[in-house]
Amino acid sequence: MQITLLLLILGCLSACRKSSGPPPTLFSRPDSLSIAALTGSKDTLSISSSTSWTITTKESWLTLSAGGGNGNGTIVCTAANNVGNPSPRIDTVIIKAAEARNDTVIITQDAGIVVVVGDSEPGDLIYELNKPYGLYLDALNDVYVADFMNNRVVEWAPGAREGVVVAGNDMGGNGLWLLSNPTAVSVDASGNVYVTQYENTQVTKWAPGSTQGVVVAVDNITGNGLNQLYNPSAVWVDAHGDIFMVDHNNNLVVEWAPGATQGTVVAGNGIAGAGLNQLNAPNGVFVDATGNVYIGDCGNNRVVKWAPGASEGTIVGGTGVSGTALNQLNCPWGVFLDQTGNMYFSDNLNNRVMKWGPGETQGKVVAGNGTYGNALTQLIYPNGVWVDAAGYIYVSDLGNCRVVRWAQ
């Protein structure tokens, strides 16, 4: 009788063990997500489970593609844009399943405004800037900055905490190893750095790793001849190696072919004025793939486009009258076109960056808030502007001695 009872008990225990089975599994990959600040940014969670589950979020800025599932599945996490916010956002997503240990995923969204170069204080240390003017981004998103008062060009890799000097050596002068008030920088496909020098009235080319430059346009001679410049303020090198220079005080844009001893006028007539065949204190320049030249015509409060061989330009931004309305500019400086033809202008004296879509008659503010100040939401006399492949806007914030990246 005792043996029979023991066998019955063991049989029941065995049956119970068989019926209970292994505990349910539940886990997600990755353990954390980082989502960009750009509009519509998203990422995906992969859920592994042997049972049904639910997923919830605490924050209104994060949207989940589903509230749960049964077995393995994926959840798309979409963040509302963080444009204009200088702080990152954090959410904890909770995944639950019956009889399984809850899983959590930390989701962080990048700040909408980030300082990427400089520390917002003027200085000559390798992590500082002093009046940054023009900038350039290469295919790796390395940022090249014309550090005006430090008489150098510095290159900053993404995420770097200090830069590398690629032209000049902090001492102003007219030797080939020196720069004097560099205003703009452009980089060709071989990594050669081209620099406009406002005070030396020349453009020099610096090969990668070199300790001195080579004069490619004018040898420190001020004048209005085709072999001369007068305080150049911007430079652009196209895919053919042709160099486009903004000849600020001659109110021209000139093109120099590789090895040329003089340039060809591609915009302006050399006389300051508001006619469509004239420029007035031009500053920024951008050349598109078909050779159209876009110019920040500061003194005329407009941006103009000159087609190849044209005798006059077309106004593509601003009205010619300074103002703060969305169809007006006040001394536009840097100019950039993105891959879809949107135009970006650093509206220098309005302390903002404007974006104009193709054919639009007014723009919208995409960086700065139009007020002078040192908060991350503000700019002081923005200069160079660039937009990377992801759509982030980079701005030389001259008065704040920094380069700032804005989401849009």
Side-chain angles (χ1 to χ4, degrees):
M1 184 67 176
Q2 291 178 340
I3 295 175
T4 302
L5 183 59
L6 180 60
L7 289 173
L8 286 171
I9 294 171
L10 291 173
C12 287
L13 290 173
S14 177
C16 289
R17 281 195 292 266
K18 288 179 181 177
S19 62
S20 65
T25 60
L26 176 67
F27 62 87
S28 59
R29 293 291 182 271
D31 297 325
S32 62
L33 287 180
S34 180
I35 299 180
L38 299 170
T39 302
S41 295
K42 62 184 66 178
D43 209 337
T44 302
L45 284 176
S46 296
I47 312 297
S48 296
S49 178
S50 61
T51 185
S52 60
W53 47 273
T54 61
I55 182 169
T56 56
T57 174
K58 297 179 180 179
E59 301 293 341
S60 60
W61 56 266
L62 187 67
T63 302
L64 305 177
S65 59
N70 190 1
N72 298 339
T74 57
I75 294 293
V76 178
C77 305
T78 304
N81 75 66
N82 205 17
V83 174
N85 187 356
S87 301
R89 299 191 286 202
I90 300 175
D91 189 11
T92 301
V93 168
I94 300 175
I95 309 166
K96 295 182 178 181
E99 300 181 18
R101 183 176 179 178
N102 294 347
D103 198 12
T104 59
V105 179
I106 304 297
I107 297 181
T108 303
Q109 186 179 27
D110 295 340
I113 312 169
V114 180
V115 176
V116 293
V117 178
D119 68 349
S120 303
E121 294 290 340
D124 59 4
L125 299 176
I126 198 61
Y127 58 85
E128 295 175 313
L129 299 172
N130 194 350
K131 300 293 185 291
Y133 270 62
L135 61 80
Y136 183 96
L137 260 70
D138 67 14
L140 300 175
N141 271 18
D142 287 358
V143 182
Y144 297 77
V145 186
D147 193 2
F148 184 83
M149 293 300 291
N150 283 329
N151 300 299
R152 65 189 184 186
V153 172
V154 288
E155 176 187 1
W156 286 59
R161 303 186 68 175
E162 60 182 36
V164 176
V165 177
V166 295
N169 66 0
D170 301 348
M171 297 172 56
N174 59 11
L176 288 177
W177 65 96
L178 301 172
L179 299 175
S180 185
N181 296 141
T183 51
V185 57
S186 188
V187 183
D188 68 19
S190 300
N192 297 302
V193 176
Y194 297 76
V195 188
T196 52
Q197 299 187 53
Y198 193 80
E199 290 301 324
N200 283 337
T201 308
Q202 63 185 12
V203 177
T204 49
K205 170 184 170 182
W206 295 65
S210 64
T211 56
Q212 67 177 38
V214 176
V215 176
V216 293
V218 185
D219 192 7
N220 200 23
I221 302 173
T222 298
N224 60 10
L226 289 177
N227 64 336
Q228 297 172 311
L229 296 170
Y230 192 176
N231 298 133
S233 58
V235 61
W236 184 273
V237 181
D238 69 12
H240 308 291
D242 292 334
I243 308 168
F244 295 78
M245 309 166 200
V246 175
D247 192 357
H248 179 81
N249 281 344
N250 280 327
N251 302 294
L252 296 171
V253 175
V254 291
E255 176 185 2
W256 287 56
T261 56
Q262 66 177 37
T264 301
V265 175
V266 294
N269 65 1
I271 301 172
L276 289 178
N277 65 333
Q278 295 176 302
L279 301 171
N280 186 1
N283 282 324
V285 65
F286 182 98
V287 183
D288 68 20
T290 58
N292 296 303
V293 180
Y294 298 78
I295 306 158
D297 192 4
C298 172
N300 285 321
N301 302 297
R302 66 190 185 187
V303 175
V304 287
K305 170 186 173 183
W306 287 62
S311 57
E312 62 180 37
T314 302
I315 298 173
V316 293
T319 63
V321 178
S322 65
T324 59
L326 293 178
N327 67 336
Q328 294 178 304
L329 301 169
N330 193 353
C331 186
W333 205 291
V335 181
F336 188 87
L337 266 70
D338 69 15
Q339 296 170 340
T340 58
N342 295 306
M343 299 175 290
Y344 299 79
F345 314 137
S346 56
D347 193 4
N348 185 270
L349 296 182
N350 281 331
N351 300 301
R352 65 188 185 182
V353 174
M354 303 294 292
K355 176 182 179 180
W356 292 55
E360 291 182 349
T361 56
Q362 67 177 36
K364 66 177 182 179
V365 179
V366 290
N369 61 12
T371 63
Y372 178 107
N374 60 11
L376 272 179
T377 55
Q378 297 175 301
L379 300 170
I380 298 178
Y381 307 139
N383 193 307
V385 62
W386 199 277
V387 181
D388 70 14
Y392 284 105
I393 304 165
Y394 295 72
V395 187
S396 287
D397 189 2
L398 185 148
N400 286 316
C401 298
R402 63 194 181 191
V403 174
V404 188
R405 189 190 74 186
W406 286 64
Q408 61 170 323

